[in-house]
Amino acid sequence: MAKNQLKKCLWVLDTIYRTGGISYKDMADRWEREHGHDEMGKLSNSTFRYYIGVLQDLFDVNIDCIASDGYKYRITSEHDLDSRQAKSWLLSAFAVNNILSANRTLEGRVIYEDIPSGEKFLLPILDAMRQDKEIDIFYTPFYRSDPKFHHVQPYVVKVNQRRWYLLCKNPQTNTMYHLALDRIVKVELTDIPFTIDPNFDVESYYDAAFGVITGMEDEYDIEKIRIKVYNDYHRADYLRTLPLHKSQVVIDSTPEYTIFEYRLRPTDDFLSAILALGGDAEVLSPEWYCEYVRDEIVRLQQRYDKV
């Protein structure tokens, strides 16, 4: 049910966004044409207004009914939506699916990356975040078969490596940690309100993180890591247009290679990203990290030497 509600909400937002403004009557007619005979059901006026309220809260946008323009509903703060990468991504991913549903001739010809399972619990978590209510989560990590209970305050949802993650806070211990949505078994909304720590800043929290591994200040210092990426097969060009990390800057560039610098905590997920570059990349500094990557390459080689 939660997954279906999210689908309906995003359909409404996507339609308003793409049309530039639409009346409830035209919205209901379009809904009927595209979804009248499937699980979406009918779009009543009260349901439509409810979705408008939810969307304004979740996406931080203003959706106004313009009486002078035929009572069309219009997003009056599109720049807010466009500036939020995760929300824009969520909308665009749905928009692709929505367009394909309405254009069966494209079926099988447009493919986008799927995020398995996690969206089932996305809407109830977002709803709890909107209301600033604590939630109960039953969670099954990979190392155990029975669900573990978590009573948490939901702070942030984030996509990383095709998984949705929830950054949450344990109100008893004040510790912050991540839970993968695809490992969640059940989510229950409580009546317990909470207030986000006024000192918490999401940009600062993830500033030196690669992916979702955070809270490693005692084990990893923030380092400036330089990597020489050779332009064989245009590998450097790919990284230039799709950076590994937001801190990526170009230090030097020639037709043969580009030297990139990163400022982050070099946790294991960053190591995996470097190794994924294969022989097209070489760590230049700091020296201890060069040795660290070299040791991992030796360990990898030893696995193949057993064959």
Side-chain angles (χ1 to χ4, degrees), residues 157-186:
V157 289
K158 177 182 174 65
V159 174
N160 183 62
Q161 298 295 320
R162 297 182 61 226
R163 277 193 169 95
W164 281 103
Y165 289 89
L166 167 67
L167 173 64
C168 53
K169 183 177 183 179
N170 184 318
Q172 281 74 45
T173 63
N174 284 328
T175 55
M176 305 279 286
Y177 56 94
H178 290 90
L179 295 174
L181 268 62
D182 64 320
R183 306 306 302 168
I184 291 177
V185 177
K186 187 178 182 181

Side-chain angles (χ1 to χ4, degrees), residues 46-253:
S46 60
T47 301
F48 173 69
R49 292 177 181 274
Y50 168 74
Y51 289 158
I52 293 295
V54 171
L55 290 167
Q56 289 187 122
D57 287 338
L58 294 185
F59 283 82
D60 296 330
V61 295
N62 294 324
I63 302 176
D64 297 318
C65 182
I66 312 299
S68 61
D69 190 22
Y71 293 93
K72 290 182 178 179
Y73 287 84
R74 180 177 300 149
I75 299 173
T76 56
S77 56
E78 291 185 7
H79 63 283
D80 290 337
L81 181 64
D82 291 336
S83 65
R84 288 168 168 79
Q85 292 182 356
K87 294 176 181 179
S88 180
W89 177 87
L90 184 63
L91 177 59
S92 63
F94 176 81
V96 171
N97 187 57
N98 184 34
I99 292 170
L100 293 181
S101 297
N103 296 272
R104 296 300 182 185
T105 57
L106 297 180
E107 187 172 359
R109 297 173 59 193
V110 179
I111 301 172
Y112 63 97
E113 194 168 27
D114 182 35
I115 299 181
S117 305
E119 75 276 4
K120 178 180 178 181
F121 297 106
L122 184 59
L123 187 60
I125 289 174
L126 289 174
D127 194 41
M129 292 167 60
R130 179 173 61 89
Q131 299 182 55
D132 288 331
K133 293 291 184 65
E134 296 180 357
I135 55 177
D136 292 334
I137 292 178
F138 296 86
Y139 186 81
T140 307
F142 288 116
Y143 57 82
R144 59 186 293 171
S145 58
D146 55 316
K148 182 179 179 181
F149 176 75
H150 295 261
H151 179 82
V152 297
Q153 299 171 346
Y155 265 55
V156 176
V157 289
K158 177 182 174 65
V159 174
N160 183 62
Q161 298 295 320
R162 297 182 61 226
R163 277 193 169 95
W164 281 103
Y165 289 89
L166 167 67
L167 173 64
C168 53
K169 183 177 183 179
N170 184 318
Q172 281 74 45
T173 63
N174 284 328
T175 55
M176 305 279 286
Y177 56 94
H178 290 90
L179 295 174
L181 268 62
D182 64 320
R183 306 306 302 168
I184 291 177
V185 177
K186 187 178 182 181
V187 173
E188 292 181 346
L189 179 68
T190 74
D191 294 326
I192 305 173
F194 76 95
T195 301
I196 290 181
D197 184 346
N199 296 318
F200 175 79
D201 178 76
V202 64
E203 294 296 330
S204 299
Y205 186 81
Y206 287 107
D207 180 57
F210 188 88
V212 294
I213 297 181
T214 56
M216 305 290 286
E217 293 82 0
D218 293 337
E219 297 184 44
Y220 296 94
D221 292 329
I222 297 175
E223 300 278 359
K224 286 186 177 181
I225 298 177
R226 291 192 177 185
I227 302 175
K228 185 176 185 179
V229 180
Y230 296 91
N231 211 27
D232 300 340
Y233 310 106
H234 299 281
R235 176 75 80 172
D237 293 334
Y238 279 110
L239 282 185
R240 191 178 290 106
T241 55
L242 189 62
L244 280 180
H245 187 260
K246 66 179 182 179
S247 66
Q248 175 177 298
V249 293
V250 174
I251 301 301
D252 187 21
S253 183

Side-chain angles (χ1 to χ4, degrees), residues 2-26:
K3 179 179 178 180
N4 201 32
Q5 285 182 336
L6 179 60
K7 183 179 179 181
K8 292 175 181 179
C9 283
L10 287 174
W11 186 92
V12 169
L13 180 58
D14 173 54
T15 302
I16 296 174
Y17 188 74
R18 287 193 293 117
T19 59
I22 187 171
S23 66
Y24 163 70
K25 182 181 182 302
D26 290 340

Side-chain angles (χ1 to χ4, degrees), residues 21-38:
I22 187 171
S23 66
Y24 163 70
K25 182 181 182 302
D26 290 340
M27 175 76 76
D29 289 343
R30 183 181 293 233
W31 180 289
E32 180 68 23
R33 287 196 305 271
E34 296 186 16
H35 307 292
H37 303 290
D38 62 18

